[in-house]
Amino acid sequence: MGMQQQTYNAIARFVAQESGIKLSDGKAYMMESRLTPVMSEFGISSFEHLATQLMAATSELRQAVVDAMTTNESFFFRDRTPFDLFSNVMLPRVAEAKRANGQPLRIWCAAAATGQEPYSLAISVLENQTVLDGLDVSILATDISQAALGTAESGRYTQFEVQRGLSAQRLITHFDQEGGAWRVKPHLRELIEFKELNLLKSLHQVGKVDIVFCRNVLIYFDVETKAQVLGNIRKQMSNTGYLMLGAAETLVGVTDHFLPTAEHQNLFQPTS
Amino acid sequence: MKTCLIVDDSSVIRKVARRIIEDIGYEVDEAEDGREAFEKCTQSMPDAILVDWNMPVMTGLEFVKELRSYIGGESPKILFCTTENDVGHIAMALKAGANEYMMKPFDREIMESKFRDLDQK
Ligand SMILES: C[S@@+](CC[C@H](N)C(=O)[O-])C[C@H]1O[C@@H](n2cnc3c(N)ncnc32)[C@H](O)[C@@H]1O
């Protein structure tokens, strides 16, 4: 089909405004392959038409375009270390603070994608019951992508997906077999609340949280957007909380709302 | 170099698995059934074993049980690699002493991630 530079720029600008996702030049091929199905779904005949329609589009079309431009790839226990830190550093320390003031411990997974991350956190919570010693724990999982959240909420994964990162023991403890697929058991599903949330918008509905996993999403944003989002995340966090970023993400020169911890370069604590 | 014994009656699977496991950094040996694998283990105990379930002469499960009760046979990390993909088989394998379980079809990424997990066990 092909797309003019001007059209590419217009659609890229729309995607950045809506989601913060910054498409570098030369992503035209990716844009074409991801938006072609959206166009046929909405009966739009060319990228030029799409670009003009987006300006005054229905929220369904806008949502569908943003959704198509998100990259939702994820794995269970991705990179492993963050989950070791979660069990060995974050949970015990935060639990102690929480127990002192008698409040529940709240975890927020801010780019939950298709759910592997919040379910890995839920498994870790269940494996650390002795540390938690009866403390009430809940997990909020949010993402901008409705399609990804749909998968996350269904808790249904292919045999390939469950084998990426889940040990056999964890698989049979926390999943039921459903034909050729595997579905999360209710005891895990119950710990998590799923919600659609754009990190660029107000984060008030998140409420106060203690542990934030915000991995592999800020990489799509420019520095100003990163700084703004991190400032808003900070406001939702308790002072004794932790922020876990992705393996390639630092905050040097981005924000002074957080400082890296001695334990790990991608694990941060809020400054007061 | 660490050693890995691949036990599968399919030469195609052995070949595919061998390529990946050598890349991970193991010196690889092969056996076609549980009996041959057990004999190789009694001569020289490998660090890791990749084992199929259904094989002629001696199945993977019988092999694991026999190896785990043999002196020195508790040390290798055992990873099942089989088309048996139900909870019952997985539970049985773990109970018999396997460390991990992989369902066919697998790909390179899954194999690598399973071996990384084995290192931690
Ligand atoms: C690569 S996934 C990361 C999944 C998981 N955190 C991990 O590390 O495996 C990135 C996710 O960020 C989401 N995302 C992108 N922009 C967003 C925004 N403005 N607000 C909320 N989520 C966003 C995408 O929909 C996608 O699901």
Side-chain angles (χ1 to χ4, degrees):
Chain A
M1 218 173 305
M3 195 187 318
Q4 309 225 301
Q5 185 66 36
Q6 212 181 338
T7 308
Y8 176 78
N9 292 345
I11 298 176
R13 209 174 316 121
F14 167 81
V15 171
Q17 261 162 23
E18 291 286 307
S19 68
I21 298 172
K22 207 151 157 58
L23 295 163
S24 51
D25 286 345
K27 288 278 169 67
Y29 173 77
M30 177 182 107
M31 188 186 278
E32 281 174 26
S33 65
R34 290 186 177 191
L35 293 185
T36 303
V38 177
M39 286 167 36
S40 59
E41 189 191 330
F42 284 82
I44 298 169
S45 57
S46 72
F47 289 103
E48 284 65 37
H49 279 130
L50 177 66
T52 30
Q53 284 202 26
L54 275 178
M55 301 309 144
T58 61
S59 54
E60 284 82 24
L61 177 60
R62 299 166 78 93
Q63 170 76 39
V65 168
V66 169
D67 217 304
M69 294 311 297
T70 59
T71 301
N72 310 122
E73 192 185 45
S74 193
F75 313 106
F76 288 99
F77 291 90
R78 183 177 194 169
D79 301 335
R80 207 128 36 95
T81 313
F83 299 92
D84 293 341
L85 291 165
F86 178 74
S87 296
N88 302 328
V89 178
M90 297 180 235
L91 269 188
R93 295 204 193 146
V94 175
E96 200 178 298
K98 290 278 126 177
R99 217 171 285 114
N101 62 23
Q103 285 170 338
L105 193 162
R106 295 193 68 229
I107 300 158
W108 177 29
C109 183
T114 40
Q116 285 89 338
E117 186 166 83
Y119 287 123
S120 303
L121 290 169
I123 291 172
S124 305
V125 165
L126 293 178
E127 288 174 352
N128 282 285
Q129 286 306 318
T130 35
V131 174
L132 292 168
D133 190 23
L135 191 68
D136 205 12
V137 179
S138 66
I139 300 171
L140 173 67
T142 65
D143 199 283
I144 196 175
S145 163
Q146 275 176 359
L149 278 178
T151 302
E153 287 203 73
S154 78
R156 217 179 126 91
Y157 298 96
T158 65
Q159 186 164 295
F160 273 101
E161 288 166 334
V162 293
Q163 296 208 85
R164 298 249 165 87
L166 272 185
S167 70
Q169 188 59 60
R170 280 171 172 160
L171 177 65
I172 61 174
T173 309
H174 302 293
F175 289 75
D176 286 320
Q177 205 160 16
E178 254 186 30
W182 295 80
R183 193 194 286 273
V184 164
K185 286 189 182 179
H187 71 245
L188 211 55
R189 179 67 189 70
E190 269 160 19
L191 291 173
I192 309 174
E193 182 193 358
F194 293 95
K195 254 193 199 160
E196 192 184 320
L197 179 72
N198 185 345
L199 289 171
L200 263 47
K201 302 273 166 69
S202 161
L203 303 180
H204 283 127
Q205 56 169 308
V206 169
K208 268 277 179 260
V209 289
D210 304 294
I211 295 175
V212 181
F213 269 56
C214 183
R215 301 169 64 221
N216 304 306
V217 59
L218 297 177
I219 41 167
Y220 299 103
F221 302 168
D222 63 21
V223 179
E224 294 78 43
T225 311
K226 270 185 206 171
Q228 178 214 321
V229 170
L230 285 161
N232 289 340
I233 289 177
R234 166 65 187 104
K235 286 185 202 136
Q236 301 310 124
M237 288 179 65
S238 58
N239 293 333
T240 49
Y242 284 95
L243 168 69
M244 187 79 227
L245 296 184
E249 302 173 296
T250 71
L251 295 183
V252 181
V254 178
T255 178
D256 48 17
H257 287 303
F258 294 96
L259 284 175
T261 56
E263 283 78 17
H264 198 268
Q265 57 183 12
N266 304 119
L267 178 63
F268 297 82
Q269 284 191 290
T271 49
S272 35
Chain B
M1 207 187 234
K2 287 200 283 188
T3 53
C4 179
L5 180 63
I6 299 175
V7 194
D8 202 307
D9 55 335
S10 152
S11 61
V12 177
I13 294 284
R14 290 202 307 273
K15 202 168 148 192
V16 172
R18 176 175 206 127
R19 205 170 299 150
I20 303 173
I21 294 171
E22 281 180 346
D23 285 348
I24 296 174
Y26 284 85
E27 191 181 307
V28 169
D29 193 8
E30 299 179 15
E32 287 179 33
D33 60 66
R35 175 57 54 209
E36 188 191 348
F38 186 77
E39 273 152 23
K40 288 202 166 182
C41 287
T42 57
Q43 283 154 29
S44 162
M45 204 54 82
D47 297 300
I49 300 170
L50 183 81
V51 60
D52 185 17
W53 193 294
N54 295 303
M55 291 177 291
V57 189
M58 182 192 261
T59 68
L61 190 71
E62 288 161 351
F63 161 71
V64 171
K65 286 182 179 162
E66 195 162 321
L67 185 71
R68 286 310 194 207
S69 58
Y70 176 82
I71 298 165
E74 66 286 339
S75 69
K77 304 286 166 63
I78 299 179
L79 170 60
F80 261 95
C81 175
T82 164
T83 48
E84 300 296 345
N85 67 352
D86 58 285
V87 174
H89 276 88
I90 300 174
M92 232 189 298
L94 295 178
K95 188 158 173 273
N99 301 85
E100 259 301 339
Y101 196 101
M102 190 165 62
M103 297 171 272
K104 291 177 188 164
F106 60 88
D107 60 13
R108 177 175 281 265
E109 265 183 68
I110 291 173
M111 179 85 88
E112 286 172 355
S113 113
K114 289 287 176 190
F115 267 89
R116 240 176 287 134
D117 289 343
L118 279 187
D119 276 343
Q120 303 263 308
K121 293 195 179 202

